[in-house]
């Protein structure tokens, strides 16, 4: 661990000196829990076409197919547990509220680890909303039943189709969520963990933080387009890095 350990000691010193920290997480931080990533070796986009499953047109064309895929993902994720990264970030946030966590993940593992005030850029696989946005339904509702009683599920208010409350390709992010993420990008230290840095606007927060003078860190087992732009690359698994960082921070 040599070089990475020394780098982590330096990072822990920066954090310990009262720096504000934001961590942006992607599918790679849930990989250790058994949740498939999108673009990794066994990633979901290697087996499926995103445009067939994660776009409004795909849903309009074949809601049954899209829901069968989300129902499979829900069942898969329901069997997974938060890993060390989720646990460390939740414990860190509990003792230091200046930590911000912004996630692209919809799996709910940060929340299950007890992390408060999570900024969820792409929604939640455990929430549904009315496909027709009918006036009598709430904006979204939680339904974490596995399996769902019917596929596709229906809006309890207008009895039309319900859709997963996740952001699909080509859809805008919630402006309030974007605003919260932009505020979080004003931190002293910005850590991008477990993301391929390919999807926008999520991938824009690292360069925004850097432009504002943040010390930037990437935690990833592979190279990404962001790797050459950050101050520190930790080419290691997130669950190893955050476990070590917690030991160093806890020892302070
Ligand atoms: N530790 C650190 N990094 C890891 C680990 C790990 N244990 N395992 C995998 N990775 C890295 C991979 O090398 C890859 O760079 O995590 C990254 C995962 O990238 P993606 O699968 O592209 O996931 P993500 O970046 O979160 O995707 C962004 O794309 O499909 C959309 O909406 C979906 O939120 C998702 C968005």
């Amino acid at each position: 661990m040599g070089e990475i350990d020394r780098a982590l000691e330096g990072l822990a010193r920066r954090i310990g000196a009262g720096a504000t920290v934001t961590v942006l997480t992607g599918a790679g931080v849930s990989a250790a829990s058994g949740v498939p990533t999108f673009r990794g070796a066994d990633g979901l986009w290697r087996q499926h076409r995103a445009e067939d499953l994660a776009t409004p047109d795909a849903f309009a064309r074949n809601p049954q197919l899209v829901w069968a895929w989300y129902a499979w993902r829900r069942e898969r994720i329901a069997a997974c547990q938060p890993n060390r990264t989720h646990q460390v970030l939740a414990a860190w946030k509990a003792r230091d509220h200046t930590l911000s966590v912004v996630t692209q993940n919809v799996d709910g593992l940060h929340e299950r680890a007890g992390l408060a005030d999570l900024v969820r850029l792409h929604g939640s696989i455990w929430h549904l909303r009315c496909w027709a946005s009918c006036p009598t339904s709430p904006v979204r509702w939680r339904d974490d039943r596995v399996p769902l009683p019917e596929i596709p599920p229906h809006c309890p208010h207008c009895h039309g189709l319900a859709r997963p409350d996740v952001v699909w390709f080509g859809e805008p992010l919630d402006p309030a969520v974007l605003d919260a993420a932009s505020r979080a990008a004003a931190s002293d230290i910005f850590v991008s963990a477990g993301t391929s840095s390919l999807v926008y606007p999520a991938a824009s927060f690292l360069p925004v933080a850097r432009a504002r003078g943040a010390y930037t860190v990437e935690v990833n087992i592979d190279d990404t387009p962001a790797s050459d732009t950050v101050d520190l690359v930790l080419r290691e698994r997130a669950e190893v890095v955050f476990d070590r960082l917690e030991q160093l921070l806890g020892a302070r």
Side-chain angles (χ1 to χ4, degrees):
M1 171 80 123
E3 184 192 339
I4 288 200
D5 220 20
R6 279 191 298 281
L8 281 169
E9 283 165 4
L11 183 57
R13 277 196 298 278
R14 281 178 181 269
I15 295 168
T20 57
V21 183
T22 291
V23 180
L24 169 73
T25 63
V29 307
S30 291
S33 298
V35 180
T37 65
F38 292 95
R39 298 169 184 83
D42 60 348
L44 292 171
W45 298 146
R46 305 262 180 185
Q47 306 153 41
H48 305 282
R49 284 163 30 96
E51 48 274 29
D52 292 344
L53 295 168
T55 67
D57 290 346
F59 188 78
R61 239 187 352 261
N62 192 340
Q64 180 76 31
L65 170 70
V66 173
W67 261 115
W69 187 63
Y70 277 93
W72 171 79
R73 287 180 64 197
R74 286 164 56 107
E75 289 191 35
R76 174 93 189 243
I77 294 165
C80 299
Q81 298 302 324
N83 66 58
R84 195 72 188 114
T85 299
H86 303 110
Q87 291 161 355
V88 165
L89 291 175
W92 184 351
K93 176 77 179 177
R95 70 167 178 270
D96 176 1
H97 294 287
T98 65
L99 171 70
S100 298
V101 180
V102 179
T103 192
Q104 300 172 81
N105 300 341
V106 299
D107 56 32
L109 291 181
H110 281 303
E111 300 91 318
R112 275 177 51 198
L115 181 76
D117 303 332
L118 175 65
V119 178
R120 264 194 321 233
L121 294 174
H122 296 158
S124 165
I125 203 165
W126 301 113
H127 288 80
L128 280 60
R129 65 175 199 262
C130 178
W131 171 240
S133 305
C134 74
T136 50
S137 71
V139 174
R140 57 181 57 84
W141 62 90
R142 185 175 175 85
D143 186 343
D144 51 11
R145 290 176 292 178
V146 170
L148 282 164
E150 58 167 355
I151 296 290
H154 288 85
C155 169
H157 301 272
C158 70
H159 307 298
L161 275 176
R163 60 164 283 177
D165 185 33
V166 298
V167 178
W168 280 327
F169 290 104
E171 292 190 311
L173 274 67
D174 179 332
V177 169
L178 272 177
D179 187 44
S182 297
R183 284 199 305 275
S187 55
D188 301 321
I189 299 173
F190 190 97
V191 181
S192 175
T195 179
S196 56
S197 296
L198 291 170
V199 171
Y200 284 79
S204 69
F205 297 113
L206 175 67
V208 163
R210 181 172 174 73
R212 286 177 174 161
Y215 181 79
T216 52
V217 182
E218 180 180 64
V219 180
N220 200 311
I221 53 174
D222 277 340
D223 246 4
T224 79
S227 300
D228 292 339
T229 71
V230 296
D231 297 299
L232 173 64
V233 173
L234 296 171
R235 187 68 71 233
E236 178 55 88
R237 288 173 292 132
E239 58 274 17
V240 171
V241 165
F242 284 102
D243 182 56
R244 183 67 187 126
L245 193 55
E246 179 70 349
Q247 287 168 16
L248 292 165
L249 292 175
R252 302 190 66 76

